Amino acid sequence: MNELKEKCGIVGIYGKNLPVSKLAFFALFALQHQVYKEKDIENLKGHISIGHNRYSTSGGGALDHAQPVINMDNSFALAHNGNLPSVASLLKFLSSKKALRKNRMDSELIADVIDFYIKKGNSLEKSVKKTFPLITGAFSLVMMNKDTLIAVRDAYGMRPLALGKIGKGYVIASETCALHTIGATFSKEIQPGEMIVINESGIKSVQLAKPNPNHDVFEYVYFARPDSVLNDKLIYEVRKNFGKTLAHEFKLEVDAIVPVPDTATPVALGYSEVSGIPIEMALVKNRYVHRTFIEPDQKSRRHSVALKLIPLPQVLKGKKIAVIDDSIVRGNTCKRLVETFFKSGAKEVHLLISSPPIRFPDFYGMDTPNQNELIASHKNTEEIRKFLGATSLHYLSLDGLIKSIGLPKKHLSTSCFTGIYPIDLKERKDEVNYDVPKE
Ligand code: 5GP
Ligand code: MG
């Protein structure tokens, strides 16, 4: 599996007399969906809908594995946010039942097992219950058949999932920001290991496994939208805290702070509030260009960084600046930015990063392609600084990150920074190299 997945979004809507497909469309829009047009969904009628979004992957062909996954007789659909490092149990089960199809990816394998149980005469609820123990990994799922909407979150709560109310109906969404967009009110976060079943008889909750919360810190660092709330923490506030903590950890003598929009903007506000150093929005985002992370190859990625973020030389000339960004993955974005700032006349370019060095690959969400491509897996901070050409480089400490989020350390998954993987990687364990720089 050598592809790079980015943040996915999922939604599920249930309500008689509600325009459920239209609501799902707008909710996906909040989760940054880009494929459907409003008229595409106008003819979709019914009282239950689910939807899913995903950015293209490095292999291109984004539609090959488009979701929701729909079974062969169109009676059941599933949307999955997250990633399963190991699918061994699902594969073993399906092949023992002679129900294994070729080239099925993780989400499709889950759907195939559920479908197997449905075909045996089980209800959707019962089929999901029976399938749950076979799924190893990070998953928030929404599923539907003609009368029931079901949502399930893995026992670790790795990916978020929230429940909301709209009129007499219900909404499930991977981020709370999608609820507000469609006028729904937040009811609660679906708990790790919890299943929610909504149908004619109402709504019920079934705990399928003991909760063992290990929420992915990357939701706070980069994935989630600033207007989403996760574990009672507003993402905007958490990111502001990152900036405040950075200001306590690293005092810089600079003329201005320049955030890399959009994620780092609240971080810069926090840094400025504590340090008293003013912010300059000297990097302007071209709103017509999509994110760079999804570009399949290095060259086009580099090109789109230049298109996407435009510096203001009039503001930068002769200044010592501290540039704030959320994370360094491969290092391309930052290298390009440092060059741009110096070219625009900046005298010193210090870098502040609101997360620790990413030394280990991700298996639960974005599925980074290869540990070698992570710059911090083989360069220490000083070597990275040199590579980027920055005056200085400072990463937020792991303790600072956790303190800023405000949840207990044991409830957070920090695998990309620490190499500690709360969900067993099983057959993929060997992909992790622990011989990484210490500093
Ligand atoms: P790179 O270092 O790979 O050139 O780019 C890192 C930048 O890409 C980060 O600043 C971040 O804002 C952005 N980015 C886009 N998608 C992702 C993602 O899925 N994870 C992380 N950590 N950063 C991402
Ligand atoms: Mg960025």
Side-chain angles (χ1 to χ4, degrees), residues 360-361 363 371 419 421 425 428-434:
F360 299 96
F363 292 93
Q371 192 175 358
Y421 293 91
L425 299 179
R428 296 189 67 188
K429 263 199 191 94
D430 295 346
E431 289 174 39
V432 186
N433 169 18
Y434 284 92

Side-chain angles (χ1 to χ4, degrees), residues 79-94:
H80 171 205
N81 177 22
N83 197 49
L84 308 185
S86 168
V87 290
S89 311
L90 293 164
L91 287 173
K92 197 169 146 215
F93 177 88
L94 287 166

Side-chain angles (χ1 to χ4, degrees), residues 22-154:
K22 198 168 256 185
L23 291 171
F25 166 76
F26 283 112
L28 286 174
F29 205 77
L31 300 169
Q32 306 166 336
H33 195 44
Q34 289 147 9
V35 178
Y36 300 112
K37 303 240 171 9
E38 202 178 337
K39 69 171 181 10
D40 294 338
I41 50 94
E42 226 138 58
N43 293 324
L44 301 174
K45 303 271 191 291
H47 70 287
I48 313 180
S49 64
I50 67 171
H52 177 272
N53 73 30
R54 184 173 73 151
Y55 289 101
S56 73
T57 57
S58 61
L63 283 179
D64 283 358
H65 294 286
Q67 291 198 25
V69 182
I70 297 167
N71 72 344
M72 295 230 235
D73 60 9
N74 295 325
S75 60
F76 149 74
L78 167 148
H80 171 205
N81 177 22
N83 197 49
L84 308 185
S86 168
V87 290
S89 311
L90 293 164
L91 287 173
K92 197 169 146 215
F93 177 88
L94 287 166
S95 73
S96 78
K97 303 292 180 196
K98 311 239 175 315
L100 185 60
R101 292 158 65 186
K102 277 206 178 112
N103 295 324
R104 303 292 276 170
M105 55 175 275
D106 55 359
S107 320
E108 293 164 330
L109 292 167
I110 299 173
D112 290 349
V113 175
I114 295 172
D115 194 44
F116 171 84
Y117 283 118
I118 293 174
K119 296 275 142 56
K120 286 267 174 261
N122 295 287
S123 65
L124 177 58
E125 179 186 340
K126 206 150 192 197
S127 304
V128 172
K129 235 187 218 169
K130 284 179 186 274
T131 306
F132 185 87
L134 296 176
I135 317 175
T136 308
F139 56 94
S140 284
L141 303 171
V142 292
M143 291 152 284
M144 65 176 281
N145 61 14
K146 67 181 186 341
D147 47 43
T148 305
L149 176 67
I150 293 187
V152 176
R153 195 172 178 202
D154 70 65

